[in-house]
Amino acid sequence: MADAKVIPFDDDRSRSGSASRPARRRTGAGSGDGRGDGSTAPVSALPGGRLPESPSDGAEGAQDPQQPLEEAVGGVGAPADAGGGWDRRIAGGLAFLRRRVTGDYEVDEFGYDKELTDQVLMSALRPLADKYFRVEVKGIENIPSDGGALIVANHSGTLPLDGLMLQVAVHDNHPAERHLRLLAADLVFHLPVVNELARKAGHTLACAEDAQRLLELGEIVGVMPEGFKGIGKPFGDRYKLQRFGRGGFVSTALRAGAPIVPCSIVGAEEIYPMIGNAKTLARLLGFPYFPITPTFPWLGPLGAVPLPTKWTIQFGEPIPTDGYPPEAAEDPMLMFNLTDQVREQIQHTLYKLLVQRRSVFF
């Protein structure tokens, strides 16, 4: 495999290549009212209740065929999937497979497949985030409900699981369920299988052209400026931010007029404590590094299982960029100052979260 080439983020080259709850059913006339003349006994409203204004109102009390049975009867003694819940799930799954086979689904210009991401990829990652790493999210209100924004986060963990957990955290905790579009190094798109999955999940090449296009389309874009320097740093340098490059992400945000949201991730540094780097083997394989941890490669495939650390992801106050003139994107001093401001805010929050943390695992 040829040596991986990381395209700088600030390189301007073109890239290559809810329904309302149904009421209870009303019983029919003459059912147990004790009247022998066939007429209907008067119906009294319960305290705080309301009677239908006309006979047609009774139709509103009928069970909605799209609602599970336990909702229609108030959930008393009904199993979670009673009344056709499983039928709808199976039908939905078959419909999904049919669209996959026939090609009746949409992808955007970057190859992003929203349906596959929501129904398959996010569902596969969610237990890892919720149950295994128990990710706690803070400051989600700092991500705008609409329009473009650039999330800048620290990078760590030997393998890029922090980017995937960040993607789940944004979607599952934001009121608007926004999708995070991550910028990745070109090595990701050279790996078989990983390449296709990354594109389907909304990731794209870390170049200024793609980033600006996504921001102008109103997307939430995520970037980790430390790159391989951050994810492949030794365990002794954990939570010490590496160089943020030349400020290319700031220039892109200025051109798009999108706010910059600093993000600090605690917990990822300890999932694979990197105590060594087999540089010769890394060169042979075309990787930027080949990690040696207390469990890998000594335990074989079992050593690839991450440690179940407790994670915290905090989004900081957004830094607006729409007040600068268009030529500000070419001002190196401004880019340096904004880059340093973002970096210092992330580093300060990391130290604050580490002081508050009780334990690596709890």
Side-chain angles (χ1 to χ4, degrees):
M1 180 184 294
D3 289 343
K5 178 185 70 173
V6 178
I7 296 180
F9 177 69
D10 52 359
D11 192 346
D12 289 329
R13 294 174 295 177
S14 297
R15 58 185 176 90
S16 55
S18 33
S20 60
R21 184 185 182 90
R24 295 179 183 269
R25 283 181 180 263
R26 293 176 56 201
T27 56
S31 57
D33 57 7
R35 295 170 61 95
D37 55 2
S39 61
T40 312
V43 180
S44 299
L46 295 174
R50 182 179 64 86
L51 289 176
E53 296 178 359
S54 66
S56 61
D57 289 344
E60 297 178 0
Q63 181 181 341
D64 185 348
Q66 300 301 320
Q67 295 292 332
L69 180 60
E70 72 275 8
E71 293 186 14
V73 298
V76 180
D81 289 298
W86 280 109
D87 291 343
R88 287 194 300 276
R89 291 187 181 185
I90 294 173
L94 292 175
F96 172 79
L97 292 175
R98 183 173 62 252
R99 288 192 295 272
R100 294 288 115 184
V101 172
T102 60
D104 186 21
Y105 58 91
E106 296 181 356
V107 297
D108 70 5
E109 59 189 282
F110 298 95
Y112 172 51
D113 188 333
K114 184 178 183 300
E115 183 185 46
L116 181 69
T117 300
D118 285 345
Q119 298 194 23
V120 179
L121 301 181
M122 295 293 284
S123 297
L125 292 171
R126 191 167 290 118
L128 189 63
D130 295 344
K131 305 299 182 183
Y132 196 77
F133 293 133
R134 294 146 291 149
V135 178
E136 178 183 1
V137 178
K138 300 180 179 180
I140 194 68
E141 67 278 1
N142 290 318
I143 300 177
S145 297
D146 51 50
L150 183 67
I151 296 179
V152 182
N154 59 304
H155 205 14
S156 61
T158 306
L159 292 181
L161 294 180
D162 53 354
L164 300 177
M165 296 300 100
L166 182 60
Q167 189 174 11
V168 175
V170 171
H171 178 268
D172 287 2
N173 291 273
H174 197 281
E177 296 184 348
R178 304 207 64 181
H179 287 272
L180 178 66
R181 309 292 295 271
L182 287 168
L183 304 177
D186 63 339
L187 175 61
V188 172
F189 302 103
H190 290 163
L191 298 174
V193 181
V194 175
N195 169 27
E196 188 68 19
L197 288 177
R199 287 289 185 188
K200 294 290 187 182
H203 306 172
T204 190
L205 192 65
C207 67
E209 183 187 50
D210 282 7
Q212 184 173 346
R213 174 65 175 158
L214 286 170
L215 289 173
E216 290 173 347
L217 289 173
E219 299 285 354
I220 299 294
V221 179
V223 62
M224 296 173 166
E226 293 176 281
F228 293 126
K229 299 186 302 293
I231 196 175
K233 63 177 176 288
F235 188 65
D237 293 335
R238 60 192 180 279
Y239 298 115
K240 296 178 182 178
L241 293 182
Q242 305 300 300
R243 184 173 175 268
F244 266 25
R246 292 173 290 175
F249 68 89
V250 171
S251 176
T252 302
L254 287 169
R255 288 192 178 96
I260 300 173
V261 181
C263 175
S264 302
I265 304 174
V266 166
E269 293 275 16
E270 295 90 359
I271 60 174
Y272 296 112
M274 185 169 164
I275 59 177
N277 180 14
K279 296 182 179 180
T280 302
L281 186 56
R283 284 195 298 268
L284 291 174
L285 296 174
F287 296 155
Y289 57 89
F290 189 88
I292 297 176
T293 74
T295 59
F296 183 84
W298 326 114
L299 300 182
L302 187 60
V305 177
L307 297 178
T309 58
K310 173 72 170 65
W311 288 35
T312 301
I313 298 178
Q314 179 161 336
F315 300 97
E317 291 284 343
I319 300 172
T321 63
D322 54 355
Y324 294 95
E327 61 271 15
E330 307 298 332
D331 185 348
M333 185 57 66
L334 176 62
M335 285 193 293
F336 175 81
N337 290 336
L338 286 177
T339 301
D340 190 61
Q341 179 183 350
V342 174
R343 186 180 183 279
E344 288 301 315
Q345 186 169 339
I346 295 174
Q347 184 69 82
H348 176 75
T349 304
L350 285 174
Y351 288 148
K352 181 180 177 180
L353 293 174
L354 288 171
V355 170
Q356 296 173 350
R357 184 169 68 169
R358 297 178 301 168
S359 166
V360 172
F361 299 101
F362 304 102

